[in-house]
Amino acid sequence: MFINNHKKQIRLLCRVLFALYIAGLVYFLFFADMLDRVGIERSYHYNVIPFREIRRFIVYADLLGPMAVISNLFGNIVIFMPFGFLVPILGRKKRKFWFTALASFELSLSVECIQLVTKTGCFDVDDILLNTIGGVLGYIVFVVCNLLRRRNERKKRKRTKA
């Protein structure tokens, strides 16, 4: 009984963390940028050529600086890792690799489309790729943690039986 209650508490915590993550993502991707551009005429910016921006950041890394390269390339990956980690925890049906990969892609595509339509950022196909990679890496971290948790539970059960 304690174990079931503990699992329910962890799931509830993960749901709260997921909601906070989505709220933070929405704020960071849409509203934080808008606050910096009050009164500035915004226009459409987009890149639909795969690897164009990734290549630009690598080729001009010296000119752009290491922080710009890190924040663009690795930031787009890291920002979606919590999504890939938390989605499989939300339910058994969501634990499939392809579900999480597709959900990461769909969320990223939605974000990029909203940024384009609202002119709050740049629609960038490379961001979709990097965000999806981040979601997949988050899923891999979930799988590894879940395997370690299950192995630990089996060891505990063996010790209590012995």
Side-chain angles (χ1 to χ4, degrees):
M1 183 151 188
F2 172 74
I3 292 173
N4 274 344
N5 193 27
H6 183 68
K7 284 184 179 183
K8 286 180 183 179
Q9 290 174 340
I10 289 173
R11 273 223 175 89
L12 177 62
L13 174 65
C14 287
R15 285 189 172 114
V16 169
L17 287 174
F18 186 76
L20 290 172
Y21 166 75
I22 295 296
L25 193 66
V26 167
Y27 173 78
F28 176 74
L29 293 173
F30 302 114
F31 298 109
D33 191 44
M34 286 174 62
L35 296 175
D36 291 339
R37 298 181 186 202
V38 174
I40 296 173
E41 181 65 29
R42 296 182 294 204
S43 60
Y44 294 108
H45 297 282
Y46 55 88
N47 168 41
V48 293
I49 301 170
F51 304 105
R52 174 189 254 173
E53 286 298 305
I54 293 172
R55 189 178 313 111
R56 185 176 72 86
F57 272 90
I58 293 169
V59 169
Y60 296 107
D62 292 339
L63 185 63
L64 296 170
M67 282 309 294
V69 175
I70 290 169
S71 67
N72 186 289
L73 299 182
F74 297 106
N76 277 308
I77 292 172
V78 170
I79 200 166
F80 264 66
M81 286 181 71
F83 183 81
F85 182 82
L86 291 171
V87 163
I89 296 172
L90 298 177
R92 289 196 184 279
K93 292 181 181 178
K94 295 172 178 65
R95 291 198 179 154
K96 302 287 186 212
F97 169 82
W98 290 112
F99 180 90
T100 303
L102 185 60
S104 298
F105 172 79
E106 289 172 341
L107 178 60
S108 182
L109 179 62
S110 299
V111 165
E112 295 298 317
C113 289
I114 292 168
Q115 284 181 336
L116 178 66
V117 170
T118 61
K119 301 178 187 174
T120 56
C122 173
F123 178 96
D124 189 352
V125 70
D126 292 345
D127 287 353
I128 296 170
L129 173 69
L130 294 170
N131 293 158
T132 304
I133 290 169
V136 167
L137 289 175
Y139 176 82
I140 290 168
V141 171
F142 163 77
V143 168
V144 169
C145 290
N146 199 34
L147 288 172
L148 293 173
R149 180 189 60 82
R150 286 181 175 190
R151 189 172 76 185
N152 192 28
E153 285 177 356
R154 280 194 298 266
K155 284 181 181 179
K156 281 182 183 179
R157 274 189 247 128
K158 285 182 180 178
R159 277 187 263 153
T160 57
K161 286 182 180 178

